[in-house]
Coordinates of all heavy atoms in Angstrom, one line a residue:
M231 N -36.9 -47.2 -31.7 CA -36.7 -48.1 -30.6 C -35.6 -49.1 -31.1 O -35.6 -49.6 -32.2 CB -38.0 -48.9 -30.4 CG -37.9 -50.0 -29.5 SD -39.3 -51.0 -29.3 CE -40.5 -49.9 -28.7
R232 N -34.7 -49.3 -30.2 CA -33.6 -50.3 -30.5 C -33.8 -51.5 -29.6 O -34.0 -51.3 -28.4 CB -32.3 -49.7 -30.1 CG -31.6 -49.0 -31.3 CD -30.2 -48.9 -31.1 NE -29.6 -49.6 -32.2 CZ -28.5 -49.1 -32.8 NH1 -28.0 -48.1 -32.4 NH2 -28.1 -49.7 -33.9
I233 N -33.8 -52.6 -30.2 CA -34.0 -53.9 -29.4 C -32.9 -54.8 -29.7 O -32.6 -55.0 -30.9 CB -35.4 -54.5 -29.8 CG1 -36.5 -53.6 -29.6 CG2 -35.6 -55.9 -29.1 CD1 -37.8 -54.0 -30.2
K234 N -32.3 -55.4 -28.7 CA -31.3 -56.5 -28.9 C -32.0 -57.8 -28.9 O -32.8 -58.1 -28.0 CB -30.3 -56.5 -27.8 CG -29.3 -55.4 -27.8 CD -28.2 -55.6 -26.8 CE -27.1 -54.7 -27.0 NZ -26.0 -55.0 -26.1
G235 N -31.8 -58.5 -30.0 CA -32.5 -59.8 -30.1 C -32.2 -60.5 -31.4 O -31.2 -60.2 -32.0
I236 N -33.0 -61.4 -31.8 CA -32.8 -62.2 -33.0 C -34.1 -62.2 -33.8 O -35.2 -62.0 -33.3 CB -32.3 -63.6 -32.7 CG1 -33.4 -64.4 -32.0 CG2 -31.0 -63.6 -32.0 CD1 -33.1 -65.9 -31.8
L237 N -34.0 -62.6 -35.1 CA -35.2 -62.8 -35.9 C -35.9 -64.1 -35.4 O -35.3 -65.1 -35.0 CB -34.9 -62.9 -37.3 CG -34.4 -61.6 -38.0 CD1 -34.0 -61.9 -39.4 CD2 -35.5 -60.6 -38.0
A238 N -37.2 -64.1 -35.5 CA -38.0 -65.3 -35.1 C -37.6 -66.5 -35.9 O -37.8 -67.7 -35.5 CB -39.5 -65.0 -35.2
T239 N -37.0 -66.4 -37.1 CA -36.6 -67.5 -37.9 C -35.5 -68.3 -37.2 O -35.2 -69.4 -37.6 CB -36.2 -67.1 -39.3 OG1 -35.2 -66.0 -39.2 CG2 -37.3 -66.5 -40.1
E240 N -34.8 -67.7 -36.3 CA -33.7 -68.3 -35.6 C -34.1 -68.8 -34.2 O -33.2 -69.1 -33.3 CB -32.5 -67.3 -35.5 CG -32.0 -66.9 -36.8 CD -30.8 -65.9 -36.8 OE1 -30.2 -65.9 -35.7 OE2 -30.6 -65.2 -37.7
A241 N -35.4 -68.9 -33.9 CA -35.8 -69.3 -32.6 C -35.3 -70.7 -32.2 O -35.2 -70.9 -31.0 CB -37.4 -69.2 -32.5
H242 N -35.1 -71.5 -33.1 CA -34.6 -72.9 -32.8 C -33.2 -72.8 -32.1 O -32.9 -73.8 -31.5 CB -34.4 -73.7 -34.1 CG -33.4 -73.1 -35.1 ND1 -33.7 -72.1 -35.9 CD2 -32.1 -73.5 -35.3 CE1 -32.6 -71.8 -36.6 NE2 -31.6 -72.6 -36.3
K243 N -32.5 -71.7 -32.1 CA -31.3 -71.6 -31.4 C -31.5 -71.3 -29.9 O -30.5 -71.4 -29.1 CB -30.4 -70.5 -32.0 CG -30.0 -70.7 -33.4 CD -29.3 -69.5 -33.9 CE -28.9 -69.7 -35.4 NZ -28.2 -68.6 -35.9
L244 N -32.7 -71.1 -29.5 CA -33.0 -70.7 -28.1 C -33.6 -72.0 -27.4 O -34.1 -72.9 -28.0 CB -34.0 -69.6 -28.0 CG -33.6 -68.3 -28.7 CD1 -34.8 -67.3 -28.7 CD2 -32.4 -67.7 -28.1
S245 N -33.5 -71.9 -26.0 CA -34.1 -73.0 -25.2 C -35.6 -72.8 -25.3 O -36.1 -71.7 -25.3 CB -33.7 -72.8 -23.8 OG -34.5 -73.5 -22.9
P246 N -36.3 -74.0 -25.4 CA -37.8 -73.9 -25.5 C -38.4 -73.3 -24.3 O -39.5 -72.7 -24.4 CB -38.2 -75.4 -25.6 CG -36.9 -76.1 -26.1 CD -35.8 -75.3 -25.6
E247 N -37.7 -73.3 -23.2 CA -38.2 -72.7 -22.0 C -38.0 -71.2 -21.8 O -38.5 -70.5 -21.0 CB -37.7 -73.4 -20.7 CG -37.9 -74.9 -20.7 CD -39.4 -75.2 -20.7 OE1 -40.2 -74.6 -19.9 OE2 -39.8 -76.2 -21.4
Q248 N -37.1 -70.6 -22.7 CA -36.8 -69.2 -22.7 C -38.0 -68.3 -23.0 O -38.8 -68.6 -23.9 CB -35.7 -68.9 -23.7 CG -35.4 -67.4 -23.9 CD -34.6 -66.9 -22.7 OE1 -33.7 -67.5 -22.2 NE2 -35.1 -65.8 -22.2
W249 N -38.2 -67.3 -22.2 CA -39.3 -66.3 -22.4 C -38.7 -65.2 -23.3 O -37.6 -64.8 -23.2 CB -39.7 -65.7 -21.1 CG -40.6 -66.6 -20.3 CD1 -40.2 -67.5 -19.4 CD2 -42.0 -66.6 -20.4 NE1 -41.3 -68.1 -18.9 CE2 -42.5 -67.6 -19.5 CE3 -43.0 -66.0 -21.2 CZ2 -43.8 -67.9 -19.3 CZ3 -44.3 -66.3 -21.0 CH2 -44.7 -67.3 -20.1
V250 N -39.6 -64.8 -24.3 CA -39.2 -63.7 -25.2 C -40.4 -62.8 -25.4 O -41.5 -63.1 -25.3 CB -38.8 -64.3 -26.6 CG1 -37.6 -65.2 -26.5 CG2 -40.0 -65.2 -27.2
N251 N -40.0 -61.5 -25.7 CA -40.9 -60.5 -26.1 C -40.9 -60.6 -27.6 O -39.8 -60.7 -28.2 CB -40.5 -59.1 -25.7 CG -40.8 -58.9 -24.2 OD1 -41.7 -59.4 -23.6 ND2 -39.9 -58.1 -23.6
I252 N -42.0 -60.6 -28.3 CA -42.1 -60.7 -29.7 C -42.5 -59.3 -30.3 O -43.4 -58.6 -29.8 CB -43.2 -61.7 -30.2 CG1 -43.0 -63.0 -29.5 CG2 -43.3 -61.8 -31.7 CD1 -44.2 -64.0 -29.6
Y253 N -41.7 -58.9 -31.3 CA -42.0 -57.6 -31.9 C -42.2 -57.8 -33.4 O -41.5 -58.5 -34.0 CB -40.7 -56.6 -31.8 CG -40.5 -56.2 -30.3 CD1 -39.8 -56.9 -29.4 CD2 -41.1 -55.0 -29.9 CE1 -39.6 -56.5 -28.1 CE2 -40.9 -54.6 -28.6 CZ -40.2 -55.3 -27.7 OH -40.0 -54.9 -26.4
E254 N -43.3 -57.1 -33.9 CA -43.5 -57.1 -35.3 C -42.7 -56.1 -36.0 O -42.6 -54.9 -35.5 CB -45.0 -56.8 -35.6 CG -45.4 -57.1 -37.0 CD -46.9 -57.0 -37.2 OE1 -47.7 -56.7 -36.2 OE2 -47.4 -57.3 -38.3
L255 N -41.9 -56.5 -37.0 CA -40.9 -55.6 -37.6 C -41.4 -55.0 -38.9 O -42.1 -55.7 -39.6 CB -39.6 -56.4 -37.9 CG -39.0 -57.1 -36.7 CD1 -37.8 -58.0 -37.2 CD2 -38.6 -56.2 -35.6
S256 N -41.1 -53.8 -39.1 CA -41.4 -53.1 -40.3 C -40.1 -52.3 -40.7 O -39.1 -52.3 -40.0 CB -42.6 -52.2 -40.2 OG -42.3 -51.1 -39.4
T257 N -40.1 -51.6 -41.8 CA -38.9 -50.9 -42.3 C -38.4 -50.0 -41.2 O -37.2 -49.9 -41.1 CB -39.3 -50.2 -43.6 OG1 -39.8 -51.1 -44.5 CG2 -38.0 -49.5 -44.1
Y258 N -39.3 -49.2 -40.6 CA -38.8 -48.2 -39.7 C -39.1 -48.3 -38.2 O -38.8 -47.5 -37.4 CB -39.4 -46.8 -40.1 CG -39.0 -46.5 -41.5 CD1 -39.8 -46.5 -42.6 CD2 -37.7 -46.1 -41.8 CE1 -39.4 -46.2 -43.9 CE2 -37.2 -45.7 -43.1 CZ -38.2 -45.8 -44.1 OH -37.8 -45.5 -45.4
Q259 N -39.7 -49.4 -37.8 CA -40.1 -49.6 -36.4 C -40.3 -51.0 -36.0 O -40.4 -51.9 -36.9 CB -41.4 -48.8 -36.1 CG -42.6 -49.3 -36.8 CD -43.8 -48.5 -36.4 OE1 -43.7 -47.5 -35.8 NE2 -45.0 -49.0 -36.9
A260 N -40.3 -51.3 -34.7 CA -40.6 -52.6 -34.1 C -41.7 -52.3 -33.1 O -41.5 -51.5 -32.2 CB -39.4 -53.1 -33.4
E261 N -42.8 -53.0 -33.3 CA -44.0 -52.8 -32.4 C -44.2 -54.0 -31.6 O -44.2 -55.1 -32.1 CB -45.2 -52.5 -33.3 CG -46.4 -52.1 -32.5 CD -47.6 -51.7 -33.4 OE1 -47.4 -51.1 -34.4 OE2 -48.7 -52.0 -32.9
F262 N -44.4 -53.8 -30.3 CA -44.6 -55.0 -29.4 C -45.8 -55.7 -29.9 O -46.9 -55.2 -30.2 CB -44.8 -54.5 -28.0 CG -45.1 -55.6 -27.0 CD1 -44.1 -56.4 -26.6 CD2 -46.4 -55.9 -26.6 CE1 -44.3 -57.5 -25.8 CE2 -46.6 -56.9 -25.7 CZ -45.6 -57.8 -25.3
Y263 N -45.7 -57.1 -29.9 CA -46.7 -58.0 -30.4 C -47.3 -58.9 -29.3 O -48.4 -59.0 -29.0 CB -46.2 -58.8 -31.6 CG -47.2 -59.8 -32.1 CD1 -48.3 -59.4 -32.9 CD2 -47.0 -61.1 -31.9 CE1 -49.2 -60.3 -33.4 CE2 -47.9 -62.1 -32.4 CZ -49.0 -61.6 -33.1 OH -49.9 -62.6 -33.7
D264 N -46.3 -59.6 -28.5 CA -46.8 -60.5 -27.5 C -45.6 -60.9 -26.7 O -44.4 -60.6 -27.0 CB -47.4 -61.7 -28.2 CG -48.3 -62.5 -27.3 OD1 -48.4 -62.2 -26.1 OD2 -48.8 -63.6 -27.7
C265 N -45.8 -61.7 -25.7 CA -44.8 -62.3 -24.8 C -45.1 -63.8 -24.6 O -46.3 -64.1 -24.3 CB -44.7 -61.5 -23.5 SG -43.6 -62.2 -22.4
C266 N -44.2 -64.7 -24.8 CA -44.4 -66.1 -24.5 C -43.1 -66.8 -24.4 O -42.0 -66.3 -24.6 CB -45.3 -66.7 -25.7 SG -44.4 -66.9 -27.2
Q267 N -43.2 -68.1 -24.2 CA -42.0 -69.0 -24.2 C -41.8 -69.4 -25.6 O -42.7 -69.5 -26.4 CB -42.2 -70.2 -23.3 CG -42.2 -69.9 -21.8 CD -42.3 -71.1 -21.0 OE1 -43.4 -71.7 -21.0 NE2 -41.3 -71.5 -20.2
V268 N -40.5 -69.7 -25.9 CA -40.1 -70.1 -27.3 C -41.0 -71.3 -27.7 O -41.4 -71.3 -28.9 CB -38.6 -70.4 -27.4 CG1 -38.3 -71.0 -28.7 CG2 -37.8 -69.1 -27.1
K269 N -41.2 -72.2 -26.9 CA -41.9 -73.4 -27.2 C -43.4 -73.1 -27.7 O -44.0 -73.9 -28.3 CB -41.9 -74.5 -26.1 CG -42.7 -74.0 -24.9 CD -42.6 -75.0 -23.7 CE -43.3 -74.5 -22.5 NZ -43.2 -75.5 -21.4
D270 N -43.9 -72.0 -27.3 CA -45.3 -71.6 -27.6 C -45.4 -70.7 -28.8 O -46.5 -70.2 -29.2 CB -45.9 -70.9 -26.4 CG -46.1 -71.9 -25.3 OD1 -46.3 -73.1 -25.5 OD2 -46.0 -71.5 -24.1
L271 N -44.2 -70.4 -29.5 CA -44.3 -69.5 -30.7 C -45.1 -70.1 -31.8 O -44.9 -71.3 -32.1 CB -42.9 -69.2 -31.2 CG -42.0 -68.3 -30.4 CD1 -40.6 -68.3 -31.0 CD2 -42.6 -66.9 -30.5
D272 N -46.0 -69.3 -32.4 CA -46.8 -69.8 -33.5 C -47.0 -68.6 -34.4 O -48.1 -67.9 -34.3 CB -48.1 -70.4 -33.0 CG -48.9 -71.0 -34.1 OD1 -48.3 -71.3 -35.2 OD2 -50.2 -71.1 -34.0
L273 N -46.0 -68.3 -35.2 CA -46.1 -67.1 -36.1 C -46.3 -67.5 -37.5 O -45.6 -68.4 -38.0 CB -44.8 -66.3 -35.9 CG -44.5 -65.8 -34.5 CD1 -43.1 -65.2 -34.4 CD2 -45.6 -64.9 -34.0
D274 N -47.2 -66.8 -38.2 CA -47.4 -67.2 -39.7 C -46.2 -66.9 -40.5 O -45.8 -67.6 -41.4 CB -48.6 -66.4 -40.2 CG -49.9 -66.8 -39.6 OD1 -50.0 -68.0 -39.1 OD2 -50.8 -66.0 -39.5
E275 N -45.6 -65.7 -40.3 CA -44.4 -65.3 -41.1 C -43.3 -64.9 -40.1 O -43.1 -63.8 -39.8 CB -44.7 -64.1 -41.9 CG -45.8 -64.3 -43.0 CD -45.2 -65.2 -44.1 OE1 -44.0 -65.2 -44.4 OE2 -46.0 -66.0 -44.7
P276 N -42.5 -65.9 -39.6 CA -41.4 -65.7 -38.6 C -40.4 -64.6 -39.1 O -39.9 -63.9 -38.3 CB -40.8 -67.0 -38.5 CG -41.7 -68.0 -38.9 CD -42.6 -67.3 -40.0
S277 N -40.2 -64.4 -40.4 CA -39.2 -63.4 -40.8 C -39.7 -62.0 -40.6 O -38.9 -61.1 -40.7 CB -39.0 -63.6 -42.3 OG -40.1 -63.4 -43.1
E278 N -40.9 -61.8 -40.2 CA -41.5 -60.5 -40.0 C -41.5 -60.1 -38.5 O -42.0 -59.1 -38.1 CB -42.9 -60.4 -40.5 CG -42.9 -60.5 -42.1 CD -44.3 -60.4 -42.6 OE1 -45.3 -60.2 -41.9 OE2 -44.5 -60.6 -43.8
Y279 N -40.9 -61.0 -37.6 CA -40.9 -60.8 -36.2 C -39.5 -60.9 -35.6 O -38.7 -61.7 -36.1 CB -41.8 -61.8 -35.5 CG -43.2 -61.7 -35.9 CD1 -43.7 -62.4 -37.0 CD2 -44.1 -60.9 -35.2 CE1 -45.1 -62.2 -37.4 CE2 -45.4 -60.7 -35.6 CZ -45.9 -61.4 -36.7 OH -47.2 -61.3 -37.0
G280 N -39.3 -60.1 -34.6 CA -38.0 -60.2 -33.8 C -38.3 -60.7 -32.4 O -39.4 -60.4 -31.9
L281 N -37.3 -61.3 -31.8 CA -37.5 -61.8 -30.5 C -36.4 -61.2 -29.6 O -35.3 -61.1 -29.9 CB -37.3 -63.4 -30.4 CG -38.1 -64.2 -31.4 CD1 -37.7 -65.6 -31.3 CD2 -39.6 -64.0 -31.1
E282 N -36.9 -60.7 -28.4 CA -36.0 -60.1 -27.4 C -36.1 -61.1 -26.2 O -37.1 -61.3 -25.6 CB -36.5 -58.7 -27.0 CG -35.8 -58.1 -25.9 CD -36.4 -56.8 -25.4 OE1 -37.7 -56.7 -25.4 OE2 -35.7 -55.9 -25.0
L283 N -34.9 -61.6 -25.8 CA -34.9 -62.5 -24.6 C -35.2 -61.6 -23.4 O -34.7 -60.5 -23.3 CB -33.5 -63.1 -24.5 CG -33.3 -64.3 -25.4 CD1 -33.3 -64.0 -26.9 CD2 -32.0 -65.0 -25.0
I284 N -35.9 -62.2 -22.5 CA -36.2 -61.5 -21.2 C -35.9 -62.4 -20.1 O -35.9 -63.6 -20.2 CB -37.7 -61.0 -21.2 CG1 -38.7 -62.1 -21.3 CG2 -38.0 -59.9 -22.2 CD1 -40.1 -61.8 -21.1
E285 N -35.7 -61.7 -18.9 CA -35.4 -62.5 -17.7 C -36.7 -63.1 -17.3 O -37.8 -62.5 -17.4 CB -34.9 -61.5 -16.6 CG -33.6 -60.9 -16.9 CD -33.1 -60.0 -15.8 OE1 -33.6 -60.2 -14.7 OE2 -32.4 -59.1 -16.2
E286 N -36.6 -64.3 -16.7 CA -37.8 -65.0 -16.2 C -38.5 -64.1 -15.1 O -37.8 -63.5 -14.3 CB -37.5 -66.3 -15.6 CG -38.7 -67.2 -15.3 CD -38.3 -68.6 -15.0 OE1 -37.2 -69.0 -15.3 OE2 -39.1 -69.2 -14.3
G287 N -39.8 -63.9 -15.2 CA -40.5 -63.1 -14.2 C -40.7 -61.7 -14.7 O -41.4 -60.9 -14.0
T288 N -40.1 -61.3 -15.8 CA -40.3 -59.9 -16.3 C -41.0 -60.0 -17.6 O -40.5 -60.6 -18.5 CB -38.9 -59.2 -16.5 OG1 -38.2 -59.2 -15.3 CG2 -39.1 -57.8 -16.9
F289 N -42.1 -59.4 -17.7 CA -43.0 -59.5 -18.9 C -43.4 -58.1 -19.4 O -43.4 -57.1 -18.6 CB -44.2 -60.3 -18.7 CG -43.9 -61.7 -18.1 CD1 -43.9 -61.9 -16.8 CD2 -43.5 -62.7 -19.0 CE1 -43.5 -63.2 -16.3 CE2 -43.1 -63.9 -18.5 CZ -43.2 -64.2 -17.2
I290 N -43.8 -57.9 -20.6 CA -44.3 -56.7 -21.1 C -45.8 -56.8 -21.2 O -46.4 -57.7 -21.7 CB -43.8 -56.4 -22.5 CG1 -42.2 -56.3 -22.5 CG2 -44.4 -55.2 -23.1 CD1 -41.7 -55.0 -21.9
E291 N -46.5 -55.8 -20.6 CA -47.9 -55.7 -20.7 C -48.3 -54.3 -21.3 O -48.0 -53.3 -20.7 CB -48.6 -55.8 -19.3 CG -48.8 -57.2 -18.9 CD -49.6 -57.3 -17.6 OE1 -50.2 -56.3 -17.2 OE2 -49.6 -58.4 -17.0
Q292 N -48.8 -54.3 -22.5 CA -49.2 -53.1 -23.1 C -48.1 -52.1 -23.2 O -48.2 -50.9 -22.9 CB -50.5 -52.5 -22.5 CG -51.6 -53.5 -22.6 CD -52.9 -52.9 -22.0 OE1 -52.9 -51.8 -21.5 NE2 -53.9 -53.7 -22.1
G293 N -46.8 -52.6 -23.5 CA -45.7 -51.7 -23.7 C -44.9 -51.3 -22.4 O -44.0 -50.6 -22.5
E294 N -45.3 -51.8 -21.2 CA -44.6 -51.5 -20.0 C -44.1 -52.8 -19.3 O -44.9 -53.7 -19.2 CB -45.5 -50.7 -19.1 CG -45.8 -49.3 -19.6 CD -46.6 -48.5 -18.6 OE1 -46.4 -48.8 -17.4 OE2 -47.3 -47.6 -19.0
A295 N -42.9 -52.8 -18.9 CA -42.3 -53.9 -18.2 C -43.0 -54.0 -16.8 O -43.1 -53.0 -16.1 CB -40.8 -53.8 -18.1
V296 N -43.3 -55.3 -16.4 CA -43.9 -55.5 -15.1 C -43.2 -56.8 -14.6 O -42.8 -57.6 -15.3 CB -45.4 -55.7 -15.1 CG1 -46.1 -54.4 -15.5 CG2 -45.9 -56.8 -16.0
K297 N -43.2 -56.9 -13.3 CA -42.7 -58.1 -12.7 C -43.7 -58.9 -11.9 O -44.7 -58.3 -11.4 CB -41.5 -57.8 -11.7 CG -40.3 -57.4 -12.5 CD -39.1 -57.5 -11.6 CE -37.9 -57.1 -12.4 NZ -36.7 -57.8 -12.0

């Protein structure tokens, strides 16, 4: 899976109101973790997560995009 985004350690560069999909990163894959606004991020190890910016009103539910 290829995802365009940034590491969660760089979340401060985004608007607090921006919605993001959160992916848990490993050596060979990125697995969907959650969806929230940047202001609500609360990750124990931000370096282990990637953020994908999403359009407002489009969210991921159990791996599928819904509006």
Side-chain angles (χ1 to χ4, degrees):
M231 170 188 299
R232 268 201 125 136
I233 300 168
K234 284 188 167 185
I236 64 171
L237 289 174
T239 55
E240 299 180 22
H242 63 279
K243 296 178 180 179
L244 303 173
S245 165
E247 302 299 318
Q248 175 68 51
W249 281 90
V250 292
N251 288 327
I252 306 167
Y253 291 87
E254 190 169 6
L255 306 175
S256 67
T257 304
Y258 299 107
Q259 66 181 6
E261 185 175 328
F262 179 76
Y263 178 75
D264 200 1
C265 177
C266 71
Q267 287 182 295
V268 172
K269 66 183 178 183
D270 296 325
L271 283 174
D272 184 24
L273 304 171
D274 293 333
E275 294 292 330
S277 63
E278 296 179 5
Y279 295 89
L281 305 177
E282 175 188 36
L283 281 63
I284 57 174
E285 295 178 27
E286 191 170 340
T288 303
F289 305 95
I290 297 289
E291 276 187 15
Q292 297 179 1
E294 294 186 23
V296 295
K297 287 196 177 213

